[in-house]
Amino acid sequence: MKITSIKSHVLKYELDKELGYSQQYYKHRATHLVEVQTDEGISGWGECFGPGNIALANKFIVEKVIQPLIVGENPMNKEFIWQKVYNLLRDSGQKGMPIQALSGVDIALWDILGKKTNMPLYQLIGGKCNNQIPVYGYGMMLQNKSVNELIELFKEEAKQIKSKNFKAMKMKVGLGPKDDLKLVQAVREEIGIDFKLMVDANHAYNLNDALYVGRGLDELDIFWFEEPVAPEDYEGYKELKHKINTNIAGGEAEFTKYGWNELIKNKCIDIAQPEVCGLGGITEYLKISALAQANFIPVINHVWGSAVSIAVNLHLLTAQPDMPGGLFPSKAMLEFDTTEKNIFITDLPTEDFSILDQVKQNDGLAAVTDNAGIGVTPNNDFIKEFEINE
């Protein structure tokens, strides 16, 4: 079996309303799919993390930089291919977009292996450790409105997420320390003290502001404080982790086992959030997961993408052992986008793939299918409708 071509598909559509996080507002939703084709007629699908124009840059890297390096290679040789690409790009791409691009390619190679062997991904990476995975709803994104308006919007959205049977929920902050705490307090009062709530800052703060917010979160019984400071600020993470009681979560902007080794050995986080579509793909994710386990750090994957990303992460979590284990361990959760309807989740796959229906019917839990590979196949007609070629 040989790789014959790699196609990169960037899809985009306009949202009904502008959404945002601490760094920007956006009006379009985009996703970047990678299709690896072989001489045996088996194609694999992957996804690259990185929205908008970043996806277009990654498309160029996939097709013009990575493709020439690996066309003709046996797709079964995933480790060899990963090391070949990384080593040849090392001088220019140890982090960032080259690794995001490699991630999508690597995931597609695992999909090919699953289809070739007629086995689901979770079996290829160790088998089933969990029959079902708890799911948390990720919503309450920022909008260009006053804090009082956002409070009312967030309260209503929080109520809706809770009513859909999610096991927990996560909200955005980024207006400024005092207004952010007002937002969190309003949501906490709406959902009650017994419902698990997480707060995502997308590295909005310097250390002093993060300490101020973190101490406020301690009083509101928040499960984790995500990306409170810049991902490069290992010392800031470390100090924050030691000075507040709320769990510090991070890692979505970290790349490869080398970057994750620094994050972990500097004792920056309580909860690891690897982004498989960005850190180097499944091949690298498995090494990072093992590194986290060796340091007794729970892994709760970062998930923000299409049905391809969600399916891959559901397999990864299904195969993930409880950490540290016991009769009643704390389970990892699957992150699920509950904002305005995301057609890249609902309408992209040819298979029946509805996490939301599972959550509603199964008390907040979702289960992986036994379909070969990652278990979902993008619809070519859908791709043609929403693909951009800028």
Side-chain angles (χ1 to χ4, degrees):
M1 178 182 276
K2 292 182 179 180
I3 297 170
T4 55
S5 69
I6 304 177
K7 296 183 178 180
S8 182
H9 307 280
V10 177
L11 316 181
K12 185 172 77 171
Y13 70 93
E14 187 172 353
L15 296 169
D16 290 338
K17 61 184 177 184
E18 191 176 57
L19 298 175
Y21 60 104
S22 67
Q23 306 300 322
Q24 66 173 337
Y25 296 101
Y26 58 92
K27 190 67 188 293
H28 293 86
R29 199 189 298 275
T31 197
H32 179 191
L33 305 178
V34 174
E35 179 185 8
V36 177
Q37 299 178 328
T38 70
D39 61 354
E40 292 190 8
I42 298 175
S43 294
W45 289 91
E47 182 165 353
C48 302
F49 185 65
N53 291 334
I54 293 171
L56 294 173
N58 282 338
K59 174 182 173 68
F60 188 92
I61 296 171
V62 168
E63 295 186 342
K64 303 300 184 182
V65 180
I66 296 177
Q67 179 175 220
L69 298 178
I70 65 174
V71 162
E73 297 287 359
N74 183 342
M76 303 291 100
N77 296 332
K78 301 178 304 306
E79 183 70 31
F80 170 80
I81 289 171
W82 197 98
Q83 294 296 336
K84 178 180 182 179
V85 173
Y86 184 80
N87 287 336
L88 291 174
L89 299 185
R90 187 179 229 135
D91 291 352
S92 306
Q94 298 166 27
K95 292 178 180 285
M97 289 185 284
I99 305 302
Q100 292 174 338
L102 177 55
S103 301
V105 174
D106 181 79
I107 291 168
L109 298 183
W110 281 90
D111 190 32
I112 290 170
L113 175 61
K115 291 172 178 174
K116 175 70 173 177
T117 59
N118 196 31
M119 295 176 68
L121 174 61
Y122 74 81
Q123 289 286 11
L124 299 175
I125 59 175
K128 187 176 285 187
C129 290
N130 302 287
N131 290 319
Q132 293 180 304
I133 303 298
V135 186
Y136 77 83
Y138 182 1
M140 293 169 281
M141 298 193 72
L142 301 181
Q143 298 180 44
N144 195 11
K145 299 179 182 294
S146 71
V147 65
N148 290 330
E149 290 175 305
L150 281 178
I151 283 172
E152 295 307 312
L153 289 171
F154 277 28
K155 286 168 64 176
E156 178 58 30
E157 193 170 350
K159 185 165 60 176
Q160 291 299 319
I161 293 171
K162 187 175 180 181
S163 72
K164 293 174 182 176
N165 279 348
F166 286 97
K167 290 294 188 182
M169 68 179 71
K170 186 167 75 178
M171 61 178 289
K172 292 291 192 186
V173 292
L175 303 178
K178 292 184 178 180
D179 283 346
D180 286 340
L181 286 177
K182 290 179 183 177
L183 273 178
V184 179
Q185 183 172 5
V187 172
R188 170 52 81 202
E189 290 173 354
E190 179 65 37
I191 63 176
I193 198 65
D194 294 328
F195 196 85
K196 195 174 287 185
L197 176 63
M198 296 83 79
V199 172
D200 186 0
N202 292 107
H203 45 84
Y205 309 120
N206 59 33
L207 178 58
N208 285 338
D209 286 346
L211 283 167
Y212 176 89
V213 173
R215 286 164 179 151
L217 299 182
D218 283 348
E219 301 299 317
L220 296 170
D221 196 20
I222 301 304
F223 183 45
W224 77 59
F225 188 13
E226 182 172 332
E227 277 205 308
V229 295
E232 304 94 330
D233 187 6
Y234 295 149
E235 286 300 317
Y237 265 100
K238 185 175 180 178
E239 185 170 347
L240 191 62
K241 182 176 178 294
H242 288 152
K243 289 185 175 179
I244 70 170
N245 294 321
T246 301
N247 290 313
I248 301 300
E252 71 178 80
E254 194 55 85
F255 300 89
T256 75
K257 57 185 168 290
Y258 306 113
W260 272 90
N261 186 51
E262 292 299 312
L263 192 68
I264 289 174
K265 78 179 184 182
N266 279 286
K267 301 185 184 303
C268 294
I269 52 175
D270 298 296
I271 294 171
Q273 295 179 298
E275 169 52 72
V276 68
C277 297
L279 57 77
I282 296 167
T283 298
E284 200 71 350
Y285 170 92
L286 296 175
K287 296 166 185 173
I288 290 164
S289 179
L291 187 62
Q293 289 177 36
N295 287 274
F296 300 97
I297 300 174
V299 175
I300 303 180
N301 297 350
H302 178 267
V303 186
W304 185 258
S306 75
V308 171
S309 171
I310 293 170
V312 169
N313 278 280
L314 192 52
H315 280 281
L316 296 176
L317 296 174
T318 295
Q320 180 176 292
D322 296 330
M323 213 295 295
L327 285 174
F328 304 102
S330 176
K331 294 285 187 183
M333 297 182 287
L334 176 71
E335 180 174 10
F336 186 81
D337 173 16
T338 60
T339 59
E340 178 181 320
K341 181 184 176 183
N342 186 342
I343 62 173
F344 294 150
I345 297 174
T346 57
D347 298 1
L348 173 67
T350 57
E351 298 83 1
D352 182 15
F353 181 76
S354 177
I355 298 296
L356 192 57
D357 285 346
Q358 288 196 60
V359 168
K360 289 178 181 177
Q361 296 164 11
N362 300 324
D363 192 28
L365 303 172
V368 74
T369 72
D370 283 327
N371 296 339
I374 65 173
V376 298
T377 306
N379 185 305
N380 283 321
D381 291 335
F382 182 92
I383 289 175
K384 289 176 183 177
E385 182 176 355
F386 292 97
E387 187 166 14
I388 59 173
N389 294 290
E390 295 181 6

